[in-house]
């Protein structure tokens, strides 16, 4: 029960709290190039998914972004909040800052939605590989127990935390202000395969 609680708390921190903080703070300081999708990332995903599948995915992403944020009024309300207010006939400098901030903010949100959809395409295959590795690790643990082998509790503790950390970083990846090519997703799955195998191989019952 404690392990499950710890897992949920890790996911809340890395998958909810940290991304929200990043979306709110990064637009204040980052250049626009750090808040929008790069051509390199787009081309990398096209190469993996194929042009037709990528185009269909792009339509789905645009439609959902529109449903979630534009038609719901979130996007319009923030723009109205940053509408220029003239002071003595001049545009307030504060409003220029706000327009710039919300422009970067919505670029980050769109990029996060984009990456969530791209990541979904990696999820099924990645999950099957990870579960397969964990099952193999569990079988290795059973063989070791029959052979009276020793599993280090410290090793299990460290590997489990590493697995949770990589899981959380996988969610955080959608919000990072850098180019996320297909190599990031592949490397993440590879890490989770190795950590998942070792976690089950050294699993401690008590």
């Amino acid at each position: 029960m404690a392990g499950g609680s710890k897992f949920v708390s890790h996911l809340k921190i890395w998958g909810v709290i940290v991304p929200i903080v990043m979306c709110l703070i990064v637009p204040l300081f980052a250049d626009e190039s750090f808040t929008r999708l790069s051509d390199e990332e787009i081309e990398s995903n096209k190469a993996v998914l194929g042009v037709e599948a990528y185009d269909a995915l792009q339509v789905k992403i645009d439609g959902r972004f529109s449903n979630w944020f534009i038609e719901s009024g979130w996007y319009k309300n923030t723009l109205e909040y940053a509408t220029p207010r003239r002071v003595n006939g001049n545009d307030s400098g504060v409003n220029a800052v706000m327009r710039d901030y919300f422009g970067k903010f919505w670029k980050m949100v769109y990029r996060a939605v984009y990456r969530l959809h791209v990541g979904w395409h990696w999820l099924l295959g990645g999950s099957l590989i990870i579960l397969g590795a964990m099952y193999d690790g569990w079988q290795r643990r059973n063989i070791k127990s029959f052979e009276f082998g020793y599993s280090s509790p410290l090793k299990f503790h460290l590997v489990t935390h590493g697995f949770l950390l990589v899981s959380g970083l996988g969610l955080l990846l959608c919000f990072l202000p850098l180019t996320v090519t297909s190599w990031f997703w592949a490397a993440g799955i590879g890490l989770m395969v190795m950590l998942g195998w070792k976690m089950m191989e050294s699993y401690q019952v008590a």
Side-chain angles (χ1 to χ4, degrees):
M1 191 73 176
S5 176
K6 186 177 293 184
F7 180 77
V8 171
S9 67
H10 274 77
L11 287 181
K12 284 181 179 178
I13 292 172
W14 292 104
V16 179
I17 297 174
V18 175
I20 289 175
V21 171
M22 287 185 65
C23 280
L24 294 176
I25 293 179
V26 170
L28 288 172
F29 308 102
D31 183 78
E32 186 178 356
S33 61
F34 288 94
T35 61
R36 61 179 174 79
L37 278 171
S38 68
D39 293 337
E40 182 183 357
E41 182 170 344
I42 292 172
E43 292 303 319
S44 175
N45 291 322
K46 278 186 180 180
V48 172
L49 299 175
V51 176
E52 291 186 6
Y54 180 86
D55 289 343
L57 179 64
Q58 186 69 68
V59 171
K60 184 184 294 184
I61 292 169
D62 292 342
R64 287 183 175 171
F65 181 82
S66 177
N67 290 335
W68 294 345
F69 301 109
I70 296 178
E71 294 179 11
S72 63
W74 286 92
Y75 183 80
K76 179 181 178 182
N77 290 338
T78 56
L79 292 183
E80 289 180 349
Y81 182 76
T83 298
R85 295 174 178 80
R86 296 190 172 274
V87 179
N88 297 325
N90 296 317
D91 186 7
S92 170
V94 173
N95 289 287
V97 172
M98 294 299 292
R99 288 196 303 275
D100 182 65
Y101 172 83
F102 282 119
K104 294 175 181 177
F105 171 82
W106 284 114
K107 285 184 174 69
M108 282 194 69
V109 173
Y110 178 83
R111 184 175 62 188
V113 173
Y114 174 92
R115 288 176 179 171
L116 284 169
H117 282 77
V118 171
W120 176 256
H121 282 261
W122 289 85
L123 182 61
L124 180 59
S127 297
L128 292 174
I129 297 171
I130 293 166
L131 289 173
M134 292 175 72
Y135 177 77
D136 185 71
W138 177 258
Q139 294 303 314
R140 174 58 189 160
R141 176 195 176 277
N142 291 336
I143 294 172
K144 186 189 295 185
S145 66
F146 283 120
E147 296 174 347
F148 302 101
Y150 173 73
S151 294
S152 169
L154 178 60
K155 184 184 294 184
F156 172 71
H157 179 79
L158 292 175
V159 172
T160 300
H161 275 74
F163 187 86
L164 293 174
L165 178 62
V166 174
S167 300
L169 289 176
L171 296 173
L172 182 61
L173 193 64
C174 296
F175 298 87
L176 289 179
L178 49 81
T179 297
V180 178
T181 64
S182 56
W183 288 106
F184 280 82
W185 300 106
I189 290 173
L191 271 174
M192 293 192 72
V193 165
M194 291 186 289
L195 291 170
W197 185 91
K198 193 61 184 178
M199 180 174 66
M200 299 309 296
E201 188 265 350
S202 57
Y203 180 74
Q204 301 294 310
V205 177

